Structure formats: structure tokens, C-alpha cells
Amino acid sequence: MARTLITGGLVITAAEETPADVLVEDGRVAALALPGSQRWSADRVFDASGKYVVPGGVDAHTHLEMPFGGTRASDTFTTGTRAAAWGGTTTIVDFAVQSRGSALRAGLDEWHAKADGNCAIDYAFHMIVSDVNEAVLREMPGLVGEGVTSFKLFMAYPGVFYSDDGQILRAMQQAAELGALTMVHAENGPAIDVLVEQALARGETDPRHHGEVRRALLEAEATHRAVQLARVAGAPLYVVHVSAREALAELAAARDLGLPVFGETCPQYLFLSTDNLAEPGFEGAKYVCSTPLRPRDHQDALWRGLRTDDLQVVSTDHCPFCFAGQKELGRGDFSKIPNGLPGIEHRMDLLHQAVVEGRISRRRWIELACAAPARMFGLHPRKGTIAPGSDADLVIYDPHAVQTLSAATHHMNVDYSAYEGRTVTGRVETVLSRGEVVLDRGDYLGRPGHGTFLPRSTCQYL
Ligand code: URP
Ligand code: ZN
Ligand code: ZN
């Protein structure tokens, strides 16, 4: 039996903060005890004095190797999961994609083939449904049985992933029947396409116009519609990448009615803004994602939503495209810039910076980044917490280390950082995934193939 001991750290979960020694046996947390109170023997001992011991992060929204915008997200399952581990994330839930005209099965098989044997950390899948029809509805129970218990529908991107209201209602009805969670990208795609066409006709081609045409009201309108469709279907709803204050207000209103409606935001909406989209030259392309970055004054509303639990999860929506050759596809036409930002490596650190700045508590940090996504997507208590029996996905976190985020030092396979030059306090020191050391004080010890597929149960947040 391989035994690892982590001594003297402050163990932080969503529920409590306790100085404790943590004993790991055979990849699982075996026991916690007051520091020094037990004479445990171990093969390896990590001294976490002065440090935090936190659950490995659960990033419930990533797009690795996803074909999109005429190109493909630049992180593979190998590079993306390695970068995640560097940042203290030990579980991802990636989006398998159904191509139009194909079966869900084909998309899911393709995603298994991409991930199998290549991941440094554990992984699970949601399923993007881009072609709702009778055959697809009949496939959904099989996927739920295989542990793919959430389905994402798009109100945006007509001609690509878009579903109309009738299709969304049908998919929601089926998901509700199965106990699965419906995830929605809430933006009014057809209306946005009209505004895109009009902007381009006026010669407004720069990246900043991406943010202008994708109006906050069109995010709010779609969010409202998604909530009403979910009500009619009797389905729980999870709205991804919420960026607009007005959309958040729709979620808060639904939750005030007691509806099972949940929301996620991402670090880019909390730390970046339309100021970045308006950076000179074509630099703004680095910040093109959908929903788009909003004016800075939306950030306070999002932080409030995270504190009041109108938003439950912070994920990255990691969907990286290199500036050279990928973002550049949209020079002269912002609508051709591939949508997506890199971020899988920095979520834990950026949220810790919010702890340092007094925006959220330490326990809320762990709840938003680890426990709530694990519960939302049926991975708790195996993931997202530190308790006897849970996977030993553990991070020793130095809350005092100062680091500067930069493309020169990050590990994501992308040629720029959305946070270039930003200094944050706090840094991952050691990462264990199911008891195996993946990272220790700057030495990467992980390997592709260590990560295994996680079949998920249904949502545990209801
Ligand atoms: O811009 C984004 N968010 N790209 C990834 C696809 C999506 O809509 O989540
Ligand atoms: Zn989306
Ligand atoms: Zn996404």
C-alpha cells in the first residue's frame, strides 16, 4: 500500500478550514488528523507548514482540440491537461461535439479517442447537441448510462451549433426525463448575426465590434427564454459563461422563484473587459470569445452573484487559439476571429487573487472552483473535497508566493496570455492526482495516460 502524508497545512474545503495532517493510501484520502497527533508512517511526506492543502480544481468547461471557427483549439488533451495540472486543476469536464448530420455516438467516440491515453489528470465529458432530432433524442439515455449526464445546447452560432426554441424544448424534455442537466449557451444568435452584417457593412471590422454586436440585452433575452423553456420542460438549467449583468439578473429572478436554475461565469469576465477588446491594432483579437467581454462595470455584479450564490461555478471555457495564424484569420473581419480564450492554467490562481483582494472567502474559492462543479456534474465526493474516501487529488498551495502570468512561462499551447504581465499572489506548489505526484515545486512529474475517464452520476446540486 503506497502511503503519502501531508503534514501541517491548513486544509480548506468548501465547508471548513482546519489545520490537519492528511494521510493518503492507494490514491485516496485515508484520514485527517490534528497536526502531529498521529504517528503515521508513510513512503513520502510533504511538509505543508504555512501552506494551504486544497482539493484539486474541477474545471467543468473546457474545449480541447475542438474544431471551431475554421480552425482547431490549440491545446490537445496532452498539453491542455498538463497545463491544467500546473495550475492545480486535477479534473476537467470537456465538451464532446456532435457534428451536424452525425450521431451523438460518433461525436462521443471521437472525444474518447482523442482523450484516451493522453490525459495527465482525470476527465469527463458533456455532450454538445448541435442537431436535435428524433434519433438523437433516442440516443440520450445511452449516454446518460455511460456517465455523460449533461447536454449543451446553443442559442448562438446559427449554422454551426445553433438549435431553435422547439429543438431546445425537446432536448430539455428528454434531459428532464433522464435526470440529466441541460446546459445552455444563452445569446440570441440570429439577432446577433443581423447586427454583425450591419456592422461589417458600415466598415466596422475591428475586434472591439465583436463586443458591441453581441449585446448584453441579447444575452439577457436568451437567458430569460432559456429559463422559461426549462420551466415548461420541467428541467433544471445551467447557463454557461454568464458575462452580462442583465443576464445575471434573469438568473437571480429565476432563483428567487425557487427554480432549479444555475449559472457559471469565468475568470475572463471577472478580470478582463471591453478595454482589452479595444486594445490597439489587432491585439483585441486575443480577447474575442462568446459571450463577449463586457464593460468593466459588469464585473461588480458578477462578483456579487458569486457571493450571493446566484452564480455557483467558475469554469474557464478554455478554448485557446494562437494569435499567429488562428486569431489572425479575422484580420479585416472580426466575425472570422475564432471565438475562445486560453485560461485552463490560471483559474485557481486568479480566484485566489480574489481571496487576497477580499472579494470572496477562502472557502468560497474552493466551493466555486472545486466542490460546486463536482456536485453540479455528479463527481462528488470523489472529486472537489478532502474527506476520507475521496480521491487524493490534492494541492499544496503557497498563499504568499508572488507570480507574474505570462506566455513566456505558462504551459498552455498558445502563443499569448490573456493576463500577460498580471501579478498575482498565491501559487501551486505540489499537485497529487489520485495520490500520484504530478507536480512538485516546479518539477513536472505527470504523464499522459495517468488521467482516466470519469463516468458521472446525475446532478447532485438539486
Ligand atoms: O468563445 C467561446 N466561448 N468559445 C468556445 C465555445 C463556446 O461557446 O463555449
Ligand atoms: Zn458557449
Ligand atoms: Zn465553451
Side-chain angles (χ1 to χ4, degrees), residues 415-445:
D415 62 359
Y416 74 95
S417 171
Y419 304 99
E420 188 65 43
R422 186 180 292 257
T423 296
V424 293
T425 301
R427 178 175 215 142
V428 169
E429 186 171 286
T430 304
V431 178
L432 271 61
S433 164
R434 279 181 282 106
E436 281 197 23
V437 184
V438 177
L439 183 87
D440 190 30
R441 295 178 179 84
D443 284 336
Y444 184 75
L445 304 165

PDB file of all heavy atoms in Angstrom, residues 415-445:
ATOM      1  N   ASP A 415       0.256  30.989 -28.010  1.00  0.00           N
ATOM      2  CA  ASP A 415       1.384  31.921 -28.096  1.00  0.00           C
ATOM      3  C   ASP A 415       1.144  33.266 -27.418  1.00  0.00           C
ATOM      4  O   ASP A 415       1.885  34.224 -27.658  1.00  0.00           O
ATOM      5  CB  ASP A 415       1.769  32.123 -29.579  1.00  0.00           C
ATOM      6  CG  ASP A 415       0.630  32.746 -30.394  1.00  0.00           C
ATOM      7  OD1 ASP A 415      -0.461  33.012 -29.835  1.00  0.00           O
ATOM      8  OD2 ASP A 415       0.825  32.965 -31.615  1.00  0.00           O
ATOM      9  N   TYR A 416       0.093  33.371 -26.622  1.00  0.00           N
ATOM     10  CA  TYR A 416      -0.105  34.620 -25.865  1.00  0.00           C
ATOM     11  C   TYR A 416      -0.808  34.292 -24.557  1.00  0.00           C
ATOM     12  O   TYR A 416      -1.386  33.202 -24.402  1.00  0.00           O
ATOM     13  CB  TYR A 416      -0.927  35.636 -26.672  1.00  0.00           C
ATOM     14  CG  TYR A 416      -2.414  35.314 -26.765  1.00  0.00           C
ATOM     15  CD1 TYR A 416      -3.328  35.886 -25.876  1.00  0.00           C
ATOM     16  CD2 TYR A 416      -2.897  34.428 -27.726  1.00  0.00           C
ATOM     17  CE1 TYR A 416      -4.683  35.577 -25.952  1.00  0.00           C
ATOM     18  CE2 TYR A 416      -4.239  34.120 -27.810  1.00  0.00           C
ATOM     19  CZ  TYR A 416      -5.134  34.704 -26.920  1.00  0.00           C
ATOM     20  OH  TYR A 416      -6.477  34.403 -26.977  1.00  0.00           O
ATOM     21  N   SER A 417      -0.742  35.225 -23.624  1.00  0.00           N
ATOM     22  CA  SER A 417      -1.511  35.096 -22.388  1.00  0.00           C
ATOM     23  C   SER A 417      -2.526  36.222 -22.334  1.00  0.00           C
ATOM     24  O   SER A 417      -2.182  37.380 -22.601  1.00  0.00           O
ATOM     25  CB  SER A 417      -0.593  35.190 -21.161  1.00  0.00           C
ATOM     26  OG  SER A 417      -1.379  35.264 -19.984  1.00  0.00           O
ATOM     27  N   ALA A 418      -3.749  35.873 -21.984  1.00  0.00           N
ATOM     28  CA  ALA A 418      -4.779  36.911 -21.831  1.00  0.00           C
ATOM     29  C   ALA A 418      -4.497  37.760 -20.586  1.00  0.00           C
ATOM     30  O   ALA A 418      -5.115  38.809 -20.402  1.00  0.00           O
ATOM     31  CB  ALA A 418      -6.158  36.263 -21.726  1.00  0.00           C
ATOM     32  N   TYR A 419      -3.562  37.305 -19.754  1.00  0.00           N
ATOM     33  CA  TYR A 419      -3.259  38.003 -18.485  1.00  0.00           C
ATOM     34  C   TYR A 419      -1.797  38.443 -18.460  1.00  0.00           C
ATOM     35  O   TYR A 419      -1.211  38.558 -17.391  1.00  0.00           O
ATOM     36  CB  TYR A 419      -3.572  37.077 -17.302  1.00  0.00           C
ATOM     37  CG  TYR A 419      -5.006  36.592 -17.325  1.00  0.00           C
ATOM     38  CD1 TYR A 419      -5.326  35.333 -17.834  1.00  0.00           C
ATOM     39  CD2 TYR A 419      -6.042  37.413 -16.891  1.00  0.00           C
ATOM     40  CE1 TYR A 419      -6.639  34.902 -17.899  1.00  0.00           C
ATOM     41  CE2 TYR A 419      -7.359  36.986 -16.947  1.00  0.00           C
ATOM     42  CZ  TYR A 419      -7.645  35.730 -17.453  1.00  0.00           C
ATOM     43  OH  TYR A 419      -8.956  35.313 -17.508  1.00  0.00           O
ATOM     44  N   GLU A 420      -1.212  38.682 -19.643  1.00  0.00           N
ATOM     45  CA  GLU A 420       0.216  38.992 -19.745  1.00  0.00           C
ATOM     46  C   GLU A 420       0.618  40.102 -18.767  1.00  0.00           C
ATOM     47  O   GLU A 420       0.018  41.180 -18.753  1.00  0.00           O
ATOM     48  CB  GLU A 420       0.533  39.421 -21.187  1.00  0.00           C
ATOM     49  CG  GLU A 420       2.007  39.598 -21.494  1.00  0.00           C
ATOM     50  CD  GLU A 420       2.792  38.285 -21.407  1.00  0.00           C
ATOM     51  OE1 GLU A 420       2.314  37.250 -21.889  1.00  0.00           O
ATOM     52  OE2 GLU A 420       3.906  38.325 -20.833  1.00  0.00           O
ATOM     53  N   GLY A 421       1.610  39.780 -17.944  1.00  0.00           N
ATOM     54  CA  GLY A 421       2.170  40.789 -17.039  1.00  0.00           C
ATOM     55  C   GLY A 421       1.408  40.985 -15.750  1.00  0.00           C
ATOM     56  O   GLY A 421       1.844  41.746 -14.883  1.00  0.00           O
ATOM     57  N   ARG A 422       0.293  40.288 -15.570  1.00  0.00           N
ATOM     58  CA  ARG A 422      -0.501  40.464 -14.344  1.00  0.00           C
ATOM     59  C   ARG A 422       0.180  39.712 -13.184  1.00  0.00           C
ATOM     60  O   ARG A 422       0.535  38.547 -13.317  1.00  0.00           O
ATOM     61  CB  ARG A 422      -1.909  39.917 -14.552  1.00  0.00           C
ATOM     62  CG  ARG A 422      -2.850  40.193 -13.385  1.00  0.00           C
ATOM     63  CD  ARG A 422      -4.222  39.623 -13.689  1.00  0.00           C
ATOM     64  NE  ARG A 422      -4.892  40.331 -14.757  1.00  0.00           N
ATOM     65  CZ  ARG A 422      -5.868  41.228 -14.591  1.00  0.00           C
ATOM     66  NH1 ARG A 422      -6.300  41.507 -13.390  1.00  0.00           N
ATOM     67  NH2 ARG A 422      -6.410  41.820 -15.627  1.00  0.00           N
ATOM     68  N   THR A 423       0.338  40.405 -12.079  1.00  0.00           N
ATOM     69  CA  THR A 423       0.962  39.785 -10.910  1.00  0.00           C
ATOM     70  C   THR A 423      -0.124  39.314  -9.954  1.00  0.00           C
ATOM     71  O   THR A 423      -1.074  40.061  -9.666  1.00  0.00           O
ATOM     72  CB  THR A 423       1.888  40.806 -10.219  1.00  0.00           C
ATOM     73  OG1 THR A 423       2.940  41.114 -11.132  1.00  0.00           O
ATOM     74  CG2 THR A 423       2.504  40.234  -8.949  1.00  0.00           C
ATOM     75  N   VAL A 424       0.010  38.070  -9.511  1.00  0.00           N
ATOM     76  CA  VAL A 424      -0.962  37.533  -8.540  1.00  0.00           C
ATOM     77  C   VAL A 424      -0.205  36.943  -7.354  1.00  0.00           C
ATOM     78  O   VAL A 424       0.942  36.514  -7.481  1.00  0.00           O
ATOM     79  CB  VAL A 424      -1.896  36.451  -9.157  1.00  0.00           C
ATOM     80  CG1 VAL A 424      -2.819  37.053 -10.193  1.00  0.00           C
ATOM     81  CG2 VAL A 424      -1.100  35.288  -9.741  1.00  0.00           C
ATOM     82  N   THR A 425      -0.880  36.938  -6.222  1.00  0.00           N
ATOM     83  CA  THR A 425      -0.292  36.368  -5.007  1.00  0.00           C
ATOM     84  C   THR A 425      -0.908  34.995  -4.784  1.00  0.00           C
ATOM     85  O   THR A 425      -2.138  34.877  -4.712  1.00  0.00           O
ATOM     86  CB  THR A 425      -0.557  37.295  -3.804  1.00  0.00           C
ATOM     87  OG1 THR A 425       0.028  38.564  -4.098  1.00  0.00           O
ATOM     88  CG2 THR A 425       0.079  36.742  -2.534  1.00  0.00           C
ATOM     89  N   GLY A 426      -0.039  33.991  -4.650  1.00  0.00           N
ATOM     90  CA  GLY A 426      -0.511  32.618  -4.487  1.00  0.00           C
ATOM     91  C   GLY A 426      -0.019  31.777  -5.645  1.00  0.00           C
ATOM     92  O   GLY A 426       0.017  32.247  -6.781  1.00  0.00           O
ATOM     93  N   ARG A 427       0.386  30.546  -5.315  1.00  0.00           N
ATOM     94  CA  ARG A 427       0.913  29.682  -6.371  1.00  0.00           C
ATOM     95  C   ARG A 427       0.820  28.227  -5.937  1.00  0.00           C
ATOM     96  O   ARG A 427       1.031  27.893  -4.777  1.00  0.00           O
ATOM     97  CB  ARG A 427       2.370  30.056  -6.626  1.00  0.00           C
ATOM     98  CG  ARG A 427       3.015  29.204  -7.651  1.00  0.00           C
ATOM     99  CD  ARG A 427       4.418  29.643  -7.993  1.00  0.00           C
ATOM    100  NE  ARG A 427       4.607  29.387  -9.407  1.00  0.00           N
ATOM    101  CZ  ARG A 427       5.271  30.155 -10.240  1.00  0.00           C
ATOM    102  NH1 ARG A 427       5.820  31.253  -9.812  1.00  0.00           N
ATOM    103  NH2 ARG A 427       5.388  29.831 -11.499  1.00  0.00           N
ATOM    104  N   VAL A 428       0.550  27.385  -6.903  1.00  0.00           N
ATOM    105  CA  VAL A 428       0.519  25.942  -6.660  1.00  0.00           C
ATOM    106  C   VAL A 428       1.944  25.457  -6.399  1.00  0.00           C
ATOM    107  O   VAL A 428       2.863  25.810  -7.142  1.00  0.00           O
ATOM    108  CB  VAL A 428      -0.053  25.234  -7.908  1.00  0.00           C
ATOM    109  CG1 VAL A 428       0.133  23.734  -7.814  1.00  0.00           C
ATOM    110  CG2 VAL A 428      -1.515  25.613  -8.096  1.00  0.00           C
ATOM    111  N   GLU A 429       2.104  24.659  -5.345  1.00  0.00           N
ATOM    112  CA  GLU A 429       3.441  24.132  -5.054  1.00  0.00           C
ATOM    113  C   GLU A 429       3.544  22.645  -5.417  1.00  0.00           C
ATOM    114  O   GLU A 429       4.476  22.219  -6.073  1.00  0.00           O
ATOM    115  CB  GLU A 429       3.750  24.329  -3.577  1.00  0.00           C
ATOM    116  CG  GLU A 429       5.157  23.959  -3.217  1.00  0.00           C
ATOM    117  CD  GLU A 429       5.510  24.371  -1.802  1.00  0.00           C
ATOM    118  OE1 GLU A 429       5.714  25.571  -1.548  1.00  0.00           O
ATOM    119  OE2 GLU A 429       5.544  23.473  -0.933  1.00  0.00           O
ATOM    120  N   THR A 430       2.543  21.870  -4.989  1.00  0.00           N
ATOM    121  CA  THR A 430       2.562  20.421  -5.231  1.00  0.00           C
ATOM    122  C   THR A 430       1.162  19.982  -5.637  1.00  0.00           C
ATOM    123  O   THR A 430       0.176  20.489  -5.089  1.00  0.00           O
ATOM    124  CB  THR A 430       2.989  19.679  -3.939  1.00  0.00           C
ATOM    125  OG1 THR A 430       4.245  20.192  -3.519  1.00  0.00           O
ATOM    126  CG2 THR A 430       3.100  18.183  -4.156  1.00  0.00           C
ATOM    127  N   VAL A 431       1.103  19.061  -6.588  1.00  0.00           N
ATOM    128  CA  VAL A 431      -0.198  18.548  -7.037  1.00  0.00           C
ATOM    129  C   VAL A 431      -0.168  17.019  -7.017  1.00  0.00           C
ATOM    130  O   VAL A 431       0.741  16.405  -7.584  1.00  0.00           O
ATOM    131  CB  VAL A 431      -0.532  19.037  -8.469  1.00  0.00           C
ATOM    132  CG1 VAL A 431      -1.857  18.451  -8.943  1.00  0.00           C
ATOM    133  CG2 VAL A 431      -0.585  20.557  -8.525  1.00  0.00           C
ATOM    134  N   LEU A 432      -1.164  16.439  -6.383  1.00  0.00           N
ATOM    135  CA  LEU A 432      -1.349  14.987  -6.412  1.00  0.00           C
ATOM    136  C   LEU A 432      -2.633  14.686  -7.174  1.00  0.00           C
ATOM    137  O   LEU A 432      -3.660  15.362  -6.971  1.00  0.00           O
ATOM    138  CB  LEU A 432      -1.499  14.428  -4.993  1.00  0.00           C
ATOM    139  CG  LEU A 432      -0.239  14.002  -4.230  1.00  0.00           C
ATOM    140  CD1 LEU A 432       0.702  15.177  -4.027  1.00  0.00           C
ATOM    141  CD2 LEU A 432      -0.625  13.420  -2.873  1.00  0.00           C
ATOM    142  N   SER A 433      -2.564  13.709  -8.050  1.00  0.00           N
ATOM    143  CA  SER A 433      -3.763  13.232  -8.724  1.00  0.00           C
ATOM    144  C   SER A 433      -3.922  11.761  -8.383  1.00  0.00           C
ATOM    145  O   SER A 433      -3.028  10.953  -8.700  1.00  0.00           O
ATOM    146  CB  SER A 433      -3.634  13.415 -10.244  1.00  0.00           C
ATOM    147  OG  SER A 433      -4.606  12.645 -10.909  1.00  0.00           O
ATOM    148  N   ARG A 434      -5.011  11.426  -7.710  1.00  0.00           N
ATOM    149  CA  ARG A 434      -5.207  10.068  -7.164  1.00  0.00           C
ATOM    150  C   ARG A 434      -3.938   9.569  -6.476  1.00  0.00           C
ATOM    151  O   ARG A 434      -3.484   8.455  -6.672  1.00  0.00           O
ATOM    152  CB  ARG A 434      -5.671   9.105  -8.249  1.00  0.00           C
ATOM    153  CG  ARG A 434      -7.175   9.217  -8.520  1.00  0.00           C
ATOM    154  CD  ARG A 434      -7.651   8.245  -9.575  1.00  0.00           C
ATOM    155  NE  ARG A 434      -7.326   8.704 -10.900  1.00  0.00           N
ATOM    156  CZ  ARG A 434      -6.367   8.202 -11.668  1.00  0.00           C
ATOM    157  NH1 ARG A 434      -5.651   7.180 -11.268  1.00  0.00           N
ATOM    158  NH2 ARG A 434      -6.145   8.706 -12.847  1.00  0.00           N
ATOM    159  N   GLY A 435      -3.333  10.430  -5.687  1.00  0.00           N
ATOM    160  CA  GLY A 435      -2.177  10.056  -4.872  1.00  0.00           C
ATOM    161  C   GLY A 435      -0.846  10.128  -5.596  1.00  0.00           C
ATOM    162  O   GLY A 435       0.203  10.102  -4.967  1.00  0.00           O
ATOM    163  N   GLU A 436      -0.862  10.220  -6.928  1.00  0.00           N
ATOM    164  CA  GLU A 436       0.407  10.311  -7.672  1.00  0.00           C
ATOM    165  C   GLU A 436       0.842  11.757  -7.766  1.00  0.00           C
ATOM    166  O   GLU A 436       0.031  12.642  -8.065  1.00  0.00           O
ATOM    167  CB  GLU A 436       0.249   9.725  -9.081  1.00  0.00           C
ATOM    168  CG  GLU A 436       0.304   8.222  -9.080  1.00  0.00           C
ATOM    169  CD  GLU A 436       0.566   7.634 -10.461  1.00  0.00           C
ATOM    170  OE1 GLU A 436       1.125   8.325 -11.342  1.00  0.00           O
ATOM    171  OE2 GLU A 436       0.193   6.469 -10.655  1.00  0.00           O
ATOM    172  N   VAL A 437       2.138  11.986  -7.554  1.00  0.00           N
ATOM    173  CA  VAL A 437       2.648  13.360  -7.615  1.00  0.00           C
ATOM    174  C   VAL A 437       2.769  13.766  -9.092  1.00  0.00           C
ATOM    175  O   VAL A 437       3.474  13.125  -9.865  1.00  0.00           O
ATOM    176  CB  VAL A 437       4.018  13.479  -6.915  1.00  0.00           C
ATOM    177  CG1 VAL A 437       4.474  14.939  -6.905  1.00  0.00           C
ATOM    178  CG2 VAL A 437       3.933  12.926  -5.495  1.00  0.00           C
ATOM    179  N   VAL A 438       2.063  14.816  -9.438  1.00  0.00           N
ATOM    180  CA  VAL A 438       2.070  15.307 -10.813  1.00  0.00           C
ATOM    181  C   VAL A 438       3.018  16.496 -10.932  1.00  0.00           C
ATOM    182  O   VAL A 438       3.663  16.707 -11.968  1.00  0.00           O
ATOM    183  CB  VAL A 438       0.639  15.729 -11.232  1.00  0.00           C
ATOM    184  CG1 VAL A 438       0.612  16.305 -12.638  1.00  0.00           C
ATOM    185  CG2 VAL A 438      -0.319  14.551 -11.136  1.00  0.00           C
ATOM    186  N   LEU A 439       3.107  17.244  -9.851  1.00  0.00           N
ATOM    187  CA  LEU A 439       3.921  18.469  -9.874  1.00  0.00           C
ATOM    188  C   LEU A 439       4.473  18.672  -8.474  1.00  0.00           C
ATOM    189  O   LEU A 439       3.743  18.519  -7.489  1.00  0.00           O
ATOM    190  CB  LEU A 439       3.007  19.651 -10.231  1.00  0.00           C
ATOM    191  CG  LEU A 439       3.696  20.985 -10.377  1.00  0.00           C
ATOM    192  CD1 LEU A 439       4.197  21.128 -11.811  1.00  0.00           C
ATOM    193  CD2 LEU A 439       2.741  22.133 -10.080  1.00  0.00           C
ATOM    194  N   ASP A 440       5.750  19.022  -8.405  1.00  0.00           N
ATOM    195  CA  ASP A 440       6.306  19.336  -7.083  1.00  0.00           C
ATOM    196  C   ASP A 440       7.351  20.428  -7.219  1.00  0.00           C
ATOM    197  O   ASP A 440       8.391  20.219  -7.842  1.00  0.00           O
ATOM    198  CB  ASP A 440       6.907  18.071  -6.456  1.00  0.00           C
ATOM    199  CG  ASP A 440       7.279  18.306  -4.997  1.00  0.00           C
ATOM    200  OD1 ASP A 440       6.609  19.130  -4.335  1.00  0.00           O
ATOM    201  OD2 ASP A 440       8.237  17.680  -4.525  1.00  0.00           O
ATOM    202  N   ARG A 441       7.072  21.556  -6.645  1.00  0.00           N
ATOM    203  CA  ARG A 441       7.993  22.706  -6.600  1.00  0.00           C
ATOM    204  C   ARG A 441       8.647  22.964  -7.961  1.00  0.00           C
ATOM    205  O   ARG A 441       9.877  23.015  -8.074  1.00  0.00           O
ATOM    206  CB  ARG A 441       9.060  22.485  -5.543  1.00  0.00           C
ATOM    207  CG  ARG A 441       8.498  22.443  -4.129  1.00  0.00           C
ATOM    208  CD  ARG A 441       9.617  22.170  -3.127  1.00  0.00           C
ATOM    209  NE  ARG A 441       9.104  22.150  -1.776  1.00  0.00           N
ATOM    210  CZ  ARG A 441       8.546  21.081  -1.201  1.00  0.00           C
ATOM    211  NH1 ARG A 441       8.413  19.953  -1.883  1.00  0.00           N
ATOM    212  NH2 ARG A 441       8.100  21.149   0.025  1.00  0.00           N
ATOM    213  N   GLY A 442       7.832  23.090  -8.978  1.00  0.00           N
ATOM    214  CA  GLY A 442       8.354  23.447 -10.299  1.00  0.00           C
ATOM    215  C   GLY A 442       8.803  22.266 -11.138  1.00  0.00           C
ATOM    216  O   GLY A 442       9.150  22.439 -12.309  1.00  0.00           O
ATOM    217  N   ASP A 443       8.799  21.047 -10.569  1.00  0.00           N
ATOM    218  CA  ASP A 443       9.140  19.871 -11.377  1.00  0.00           C
ATOM    219  C   ASP A 443       7.861  19.175 -11.816  1.00  0.00           C
ATOM    220  O   ASP A 443       7.071  18.744 -10.969  1.00  0.00           O
ATOM    221  CB  ASP A 443       9.966  18.859 -10.559  1.00  0.00           C
ATOM    222  CG  ASP A 443      11.387  19.317 -10.396  1.00  0.00           C
ATOM    223  OD1 ASP A 443      11.855  20.114 -11.237  1.00  0.00           O
ATOM    224  OD2 ASP A 443      12.021  18.890  -9.403  1.00  0.00           O
ATOM    225  N   TYR A 444       7.691  19.042 -13.115  1.00  0.00           N
ATOM    226  CA  TYR A 444       6.512  18.348 -13.623  1.00  0.00           C
ATOM    227  C   TYR A 444       6.804  16.851 -13.670  1.00  0.00           C
ATOM    228  O   TYR A 444       7.747  16.403 -14.321  1.00  0.00           O
ATOM    229  CB  TYR A 444       6.148  18.869 -15.023  1.00  0.00           C
ATOM    230  CG  TYR A 444       4.878  18.228 -15.512  1.00  0.00           C
ATOM    231  CD1 TYR A 444       3.644  18.622 -14.996  1.00  0.00           C
ATOM    232  CD2 TYR A 444       4.915  17.207 -16.452  1.00  0.00           C
ATOM    233  CE1 TYR A 444       2.480  18.000 -15.408  1.00  0.00           C
ATOM    234  CE2 TYR A 444       3.754  16.584 -16.869  1.00  0.00           C
ATOM    235  CZ  TYR A 444       2.537  16.992 -16.341  1.00  0.00           C
ATOM    236  OH  TYR A 444       1.382  16.383 -16.747  1.00  0.00           O
ATOM    237  N   LEU A 445       5.990  16.069 -12.973  1.00  0.00           N
ATOM    238  CA  LEU A 445       6.236  14.627 -12.858  1.00  0.00           C
ATOM    239  C   LEU A 445       5.072  13.813 -13.432  1.00  0.00           C
ATOM    240  O   LEU A 445       5.021  12.591 -13.292  1.00  0.00           O
ATOM    241  CB  LEU A 445       6.429  14.260 -11.369  1.00  0.00           C
ATOM    242  CG  LEU A 445       7.552  15.045 -10.659  1.00  0.00           C
ATOM    243  CD1 LEU A 445       7.448  14.908  -9.151  1.00  0.00           C
ATOM    244  CD2 LEU A 445       8.909  14.569 -11.139  1.00  0.00           C
TER     245      LEU A 445
END
